[in-house]
């Protein structure tokens, strides 16, 4: 057993692949969820595929709930060695139609959620002088995207958080990194109208969407003790669509 790995939004497309990859690495994997019925079905499916993944209900937007969840996980399963902040939503609209509510929903889940879990788990990791925090951002946090003022702002904010937290935690054996996936074949990306998605895929030099497993493998590496000299970095995995 390599320790407990907590994945927020682990029941989603990329999140599921991350949970499975960390479970293969012998972590005791825990995912948070917002919809209990769906999460229980997801957990059964993971079991059928050979992965025993614990699930805890937690609204990433709510600091007190996140605190309760972390305390419960540490009491029941043990110290959290790895935190992957993966919970995320889209509310895509051009600026003429983007409402303050759509702005706030995305900021609350995609950015405040990362702050909530990172700050709580970081305090636990500081007591043990070890930890790995991996924040899942997006290509669009770097290059922007028509219709994603809210999402791109939140995802860009994540890397500011990563770099600052990395500096604070580096002397204590805790690394903090951002992983920025491009367009990956998940339900979220498949919601983009097909004529728009075709144009996006045409801009990817590798010539296809990414696979969730291609993101998950990089998470496994960043989560490993071997990655102790990598901190404050942003790893782009986008098939060459945006290079920096
Ligand atoms: N570039 C330039 N102009 C565009 C455009 C684009 N990409 N998309 C639409 N337009 C134009 C339209 O033609 C229209 O022009 P007219 O007013 O002259 O007709 C105008 O902009 C307004 O278009 P809409 O009324 O369709 O705009 P909307 O508010 O309904 O929003 C949209 C459209 C939902 C943003 C749609 O364009 C879309 O889904 N785009 C894809 C966004 C995207 O890539 N999302 C990624 C989701 S997956 C993800 O986020 C994961 C990850 O990390 C990568």
């Amino acid at each position: 057993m390599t320790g407990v790995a907590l994945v927020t939004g682990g029941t989603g497309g990329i999140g599921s692949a991350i949970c499975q990859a960390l479970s293969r690495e012998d972590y005791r994997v825990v995912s948070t969820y917002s919809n209990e019925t769906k999460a229980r079905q997801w957990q059964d499916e993971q079991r059928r595929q050979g992965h025993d993944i614990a699930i805890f209900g937690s609204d990433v937007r709510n600091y007190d709930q996140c605190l309760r969840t972390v305390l419960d996980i540490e009491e029941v399963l043990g110290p959290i060695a790895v935190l992957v902040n993966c919970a995320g939503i889209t509310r895509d609209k051009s600026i003429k139609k983007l409402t303050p509510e759509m702005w706030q929903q995305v900021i609350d889940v995609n950015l405040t959620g990362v702050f909530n879990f990172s700050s709580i788990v970081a305090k636990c990791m500081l007591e043990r002088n070890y930890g790995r925090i991996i924040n899942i951002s997006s290509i669009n946090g770097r290059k922007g995207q028509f219709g994603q003022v809210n999402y791109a702002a939140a995802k860009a904010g994540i890397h500011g958080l990563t770099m600052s937290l990395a500096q604070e935690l580096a002397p204590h054996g805790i690394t903090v990194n951002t992983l920025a996936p491009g367009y990956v074949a998940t339900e979220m990306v498949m919601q983009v109208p097909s004529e728009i998605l075709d144009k996006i895929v045409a801009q990817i030099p590798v010539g296809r969407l990414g696979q969730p497993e291609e993101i998950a493998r990089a998470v496994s590496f960043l989560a490993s003790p071997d990655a102790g000299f990598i901190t404050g970095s942003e790893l782009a995995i986008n098939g060459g669509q945006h290079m920096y």
Side-chain angles (χ1 to χ4, degrees), residues 46-229:
Q46 301 310 307
R47 279 212 188 98
R48 274 192 288 278
Q49 294 183 34
H51 304 287
D52 180 19
I53 297 172
I55 53 172
F56 282 70
S58 195
D59 182 342
V60 299
R61 298 169 299 183
N62 182 320
Y63 184 90
D64 291 338
Q65 266 192 42
C66 298
L67 179 60
R68 187 72 262 148
T69 302
V70 169
L71 295 176
D72 287 350
I73 291 170
E74 294 225 331
E75 193 184 314
V76 177
L77 301 173
I80 297 168
V82 176
L83 168 66
V84 185
N85 284 301
C86 189
I89 59 168
T90 54
R91 296 287 182 271
D92 293 357
K93 280 285 173 231
S94 60
I95 199 69
K96 283 194 227 163
K97 300 180 193 163
L98 186 71
T99 63
E101 290 72 29
M102 295 165 90
W103 164 265
Q104 203 58 53
Q105 283 170 345
V106 169
I107 297 294
D108 287 350
V109 175
N110 296 14
L111 186 56
T112 305
V114 176
F115 163 74
N116 285 343
F117 267 103
S118 298
S119 63
I120 296 162
V121 172
K123 285 175 202 128
C124 301
M125 289 174 167
L126 277 168
E127 286 172 19
R128 302 185 282 266
N129 279 306
Y130 182 81
R132 299 280 180 262
I133 299 177
I134 299 149
N135 297 323
I136 306 299
S137 173
S138 163
I139 182 175
N140 293 340
R142 277 280 174 172
K143 74 165 188 58
Q145 171 64 33
F146 187 103
Q148 287 204 309
V149 161
N150 49 1
Y151 185 87
K155 293 297 191 180
I158 285 179
H159 192 51
L161 183 155
T162 290
M163 292 187 292
S164 305
L165 195 56
Q167 290 178 33
E168 292 188 28
L169 302 182
H172 306 281
I174 304 163
T175 64
V176 188
N177 290 288
T178 298
L179 201 157
Y183 282 76
V184 175
T186 60
E187 214 173 288
M188 182 187 270
V189 166
M190 292 312 170
Q191 278 167 9
V192 174
S194 59
E195 64 283 6
I196 296 176
L197 192 55
D198 289 348
K199 285 188 193 142
I200 291 170
V201 174
Q203 293 161 7
I204 304 175
V206 167
R208 61 173 176 83
L209 295 173
Q211 291 301 316
E213 294 70 24
E214 293 175 301
I215 308 302
R217 278 187 207 111
V219 171
S220 289
F221 174 62
L222 290 173
S224 70
D226 288 346
F229 202 57

